[in-house]
Amino acid sequence: MSTTPAPAPFTADDYRARMARAAESAAGAGLAGVLVAPGPDLVYLTGYRPTAITERLTVLVLAAGQEPVLVVPTLEAPDAEHAAGAAALTLRDWTDGKDPYAVTAPLLDAAGRFGVSDNAWAMHLLGLQKALPGTSYVSLTEALPMLRAVKDAHELARLDAAGAAADAAYGEILKVRFAGRKETDVAGDLAALLLEYGHSQVDFTVVGSGPNGANPHHEAGDRTIGEGDMVVLDFGGLKHGYGSDTTRTVHVGEPGAQERRVHDVVREAQQAGFDAVRPGAACQDVDRAARAVIAEAGYGEYFIHRTGHGIGVTTHEPPYMIEGEERPLVPGMCFSIEPGIYLPGRFGVRIEDIVTVTDDGGRRLNNTDRALAIVE
């Protein structure tokens, strides 16, 4: 059903610039370089996503002052050669029966400290340590947490499209019947709608009805949704390689006074978090603004998670809107603002938008009505 034209593909020059920036950032952080395993970091930096992630070593080696090198198994080299960023790097392959760490070791400073993708296999890291005992390693989230955090115009266009598709899915889900159906039925509807509106991948469809809504990450189950239930809908995935993630809370039939009150408080908190977004503000300022509204209303102990997380080529990534995160917001950062109140055994409410930092404030990437919707 999606009629929006696909954005232009990223070019080899785009990936070249990203790899150069990563190498420079690593040097600035006192690292000898960066080692990137298959996963979101590799997709972001090279456009290469192996068809299968196996025990065979694949690693991108980036270091200031040297050309990027992607070490791959020989049998996967043809696929790597066709990656969008392949022209911006050198491929070095190794065949089964050879030692992949002996191939990789000459590319590394034998006494260097390297940033490593969080999802790198332990066996590969241990293999490199055995080949180069003088090296040491730190996770990329710790060493370079902002590697993917600031989006350029092309990335923002993809996030806009993903957000709009999720909004369209929400608009349609309001038309379906909730009462008398299982949570899994509504979750299936949501997943189908995300795909219908152009998502290539559905990452989650949380449908938390009644007391299940008090579990923020409730997995849709066999509970039958009934009249009088509050229902938390949290769903998202990838479109054009970038994430969507939005939450709205609906009610089956006419809500009671406390249900309306709790929803109003969460909506006010979400607005306060959004109003706190501006360049130079600390990430924790967004959390503090939303949390203050909920605490003042007497529900502070029932807001049990951070206010937000970054989003990009994955639906959860730095930066995080949480107390203690003093990192300043800068234009191009994208993250969720999703306060909630969870009353055990009764119901939960969460409202979530993806927001990007602009030159003078923030802009929502989700624009559906945040009022409490009544469904049948």
Side-chain angles (χ1 to χ4, degrees):
M1 180 177 289
S2 177
T3 58
T4 304
F10 293 121
T11 67
D13 285 341
D14 293 324
Y15 293 112
R16 182 178 289 107
R18 292 178 185 179
M19 288 188 283
R21 188 167 60 249
E24 291 163 5
S25 297
L31 299 175
V34 173
L35 306 180
V36 184
D41 292 325
L42 189 63
V43 172
Y44 173 76
L45 291 166
T46 69
Y48 178 49
R49 187 191 303 272
T51 54
I53 298 175
T54 71
E55 73 284 355
R56 293 184 174 95
L57 176 70
T58 294
V59 62
L60 173 69
V61 180
L62 301 177
Q66 71 182 49
E67 288 296 309
V69 178
L70 180 61
V71 177
V72 297
T74 299
L75 77 168
E76 295 175 8
D79 288 338
E81 289 171 352
H82 288 95
L89 51 78
T90 298
L91 284 176
R92 186 164 298 182
D93 65 322
W94 61 276
T95 57
D96 284 354
K98 302 295 183 181
D99 182 355
Y101 310 111
V103 174
T104 308
L107 304 172
L108 309 184
D109 179 343
R113 182 170 175 79
F114 294 86
V116 182
S117 297
D118 296 4
N119 57 324
W121 282 28
M123 65 178 286
H124 295 321
L125 191 57
L126 292 169
L128 287 172
Q129 285 182 312
K130 183 177 180 181
L132 296 170
T135 55
S136 59
Y137 304 89
V138 61
S139 77
L140 277 183
T141 290
E142 179 181 344
L144 300 177
M146 296 297 103
L147 178 65
R148 307 195 313 257
V150 179
K151 276 64 179 181
D152 62 26
H154 299 296
E155 292 179 284
L156 285 172
R158 287 163 168 77
L159 285 162
D160 270 320
D167 284 357
Y170 175 67
E172 291 299 316
I173 204 67
L174 294 180
K175 302 174 185 177
V176 309
R177 184 162 184 83
F178 281 66
R181 303 177 70 214
K182 294 180 179 180
E183 292 174 340
T184 50
D185 295 332
V186 177
D189 290 342
L190 274 171
L193 286 165
L194 287 172
L195 295 173
E196 185 177 343
Y197 283 100
H199 279 63
S200 59
Q201 174 178 313
V202 177
D203 287 343
F204 49 88
T205 51
V206 172
V207 179
S209 64
N212 289 342
N215 175 359
H217 281 175
H218 170 69
E219 184 173 348
D222 289 336
R223 183 182 186 275
T224 299
I225 302 168
E227 183 78 16
D229 277 347
M230 194 79 93
V231 186
V232 178
L233 305 172
D234 182 354
F235 51 97
L238 298 182
K239 179 173 181 174
H240 305 315
Y242 280 72
S244 68
D245 186 0
T246 188
T247 307
R248 295 291 185 264
T249 302
V250 303
H251 195 274
V252 185
E254 192 63 28
Q258 188 186 33
E259 291 170 314
R260 284 194 179 278
R261 170 62 177 152
V262 170
H263 192 278
D264 285 346
V265 170
V266 173
R267 183 167 55 162
E268 291 166 14
Q270 209 268 348
Q271 181 64 45
F274 175 74
D275 290 341
V277 175
R278 64 184 184 280
C283 291
Q284 68 179 5
D285 292 343
V286 178
D287 182 85
R288 287 175 174 177
R291 199 168 298 276
V293 173
I294 292 175
E296 186 175 345
Y299 293 100
E301 66 183 292
Y302 302 110
F303 181 10
I304 56 177
H305 55 73
R306 66 196 175 202
T307 293
H309 58 82
I311 191 168
V313 294
T314 59
T315 48
H316 282 213
E317 62 184 45
Y320 298 104
M321 307 301 113
I322 189 170
E323 180 65 31
E325 179 53 84
E326 298 179 348
R327 193 175 308 279
L329 302 179
V330 299
M333 281 183 174
C334 295
F335 49 85
S336 67
I337 299 178
E338 50 178 307
I341 293 174
Y342 308 94
L343 303 180
R346 301 185 62 193
F347 64 89
V349 174
R350 184 167 62 257
I351 300 172
E352 174 186 16
D353 294 326
I354 299 303
V355 170
T356 185
V357 184
T358 64
D359 290 337
D360 57 2
R363 177 173 67 85
R364 283 186 166 97
L365 275 58
N366 296 108
N367 295 288
T368 55
D369 194 344
R370 281 166 285 279
L372 180 58
I374 310 301
V375 297
E376 296 181 348

